[in-house]
Each structure stands twice: as C-alpha cells, then as structure tokens.
Amino acid sequence: MDLHDKLHHIALSYLRNDEDAKDALQDTWLKLRNKTTVESKDEARNKLIAVLRNVCIDRLRKTKEMPIDAIRRSRIPSSEETEFDFAEHLKEGLTQLQQSIFNLVTHDGMEYKDIASQLSMSIEAVRMNMSRARKRILENYKRMNQ
C-alpha cells in the first residue's frame, strides 16, 4: 500500500486522466493478486511497476477507435510484426539523459530529488527533462496512431 501514490503517479504519466489511472492501478492489483509470489519488497515493487506500465500501454492502444468493418478486414500480423516493441518506439527521439530520467521515474519509481542527487543535477533540471520526455512520447504516440 505504501506504493499506491507512486504507482498512481506512474499511471497518470501514461494516461493523463485520473479515472483511467485509477482503473489501470486496479487492473494491475487484480492481475498480480493471486498469480505471483514475491520474496522481497523490491521484487514486488518491480513487478507492480512492470505490470502497471503494460496495463497503461494496453489502454493507450485500445483508445484508438476502429470501425468494426476495419477490424474484420484487418490481416493477422506476421511474427516479425508482433515482436514490435511499442514502448521503444514511443521513446524515439529522446536524448540518453531523458531516457535515463524517464526510466528512473517510471520503471524504478524514483523521486526527482533522488534522481537529481544521483545524476548531479538540480531537481528543476530533472523535472524539465522529464517534461520534455513525456511531451516527445506523447508526440510519438500520436504519430504512431495516425
């Protein structure tokens, strides 16, 4: 339960809507509730963050509405196409620093002040880079869904 706020923040960074973020968080808890065993707090935190990220990405993919006729006409993707890494393509155009900060915030759940200390930066510089990374990811997402 001590991770709830951090996980909610992660979901909000992907979905931009409080209700959707709460739904994604609930889906994450349900998916992991009976299916996994964990041996440490760190393992539990990492599993929660990874599953939450995947739930959020799935929700983003589903938001692209498609007429039923288009679904019927769509072809089955080849095995090469199914290996398409959606998350990596969302991060295209990010600098190495922005990718590092984004990963530390979203995947590792670190606070801005801790990242700033680790990277020898100001907290404001970390926030600015995270903001630019989110903006680029949103632009990439919109471009991919056109």
Side-chain angles (χ1 to χ4, degrees):
M1 289 306 287
D2 58 336
L3 290 174
H4 184 270
D5 290 338
K6 192 167 294 228
L7 293 171
H8 186 258
H9 176 74
I10 292 169
L12 269 175
S13 71
Y14 280 99
L15 301 174
R16 306 270 188 220
N17 179 323
D18 189 53
E19 290 302 315
D20 288 341
K22 287 178 182 177
D23 289 345
L25 192 54
Q26 186 175 16
D27 288 347
T28 301
W29 289 111
L30 290 173
K31 284 184 184 223
L32 289 176
R33 185 171 175 210
N34 296 322
K35 295 182 181 179
T36 60
T37 58
V38 291
E39 296 181 16
S40 69
K41 270 187 157 182
D42 287 337
E43 183 183 0
R45 179 179 58 90
N46 291 339
K47 283 186 178 183
L48 282 167
I49 291 171
V51 171
L52 178 62
R53 182 187 62 129
N54 292 338
V55 166
C56 290
I57 289 172
D58 288 344
R59 286 179 171 268
L60 288 172
R61 286 179 180 161
K62 288 178 183 177
T63 59
K64 182 181 176 191
E65 294 182 15
M66 185 180 285
I68 193 73
D69 292 336
I71 294 171
R72 287 185 186 139
R73 288 189 310 257
S74 66
R75 62 180 182 78
I76 299 172
S78 70
S79 61
E80 293 165 359
E81 292 171 324
T82 56
E83 293 178 11
F84 175 79
D85 190 353
F86 189 76
E88 287 305 312
H89 287 284
L90 284 177
K91 294 180 187 178
E92 282 180 3
L94 295 182
T95 66
Q96 185 63 37
L97 178 64
Q98 289 170 343
Q99 284 186 14
S100 297
I101 291 171
F102 182 81
N103 288 335
L104 289 170
V105 171
T106 59
H107 302 297
D108 296 339
M110 289 181 69
E111 299 287 331
Y112 289 154
K113 65 179 180 175
D114 298 329
I115 296 169
S117 173
Q118 182 177 343
L119 299 177
S120 302
M121 301 173 66
S122 70
I123 295 173
E124 192 56 40
V126 172
R127 281 193 179 116
M128 178 186 66
N129 278 288
M130 185 64 179
S131 175
R132 289 178 180 167
R134 284 185 179 135
K135 182 179 178 183
R136 174 63 69 144
I137 288 170
L138 182 60
E139 290 169 358
N140 290 342
Y141 175 75
K142 287 179 180 178
R143 183 175 36 85
M144 289 172 63
N145 288 306
Q146 289 179 348

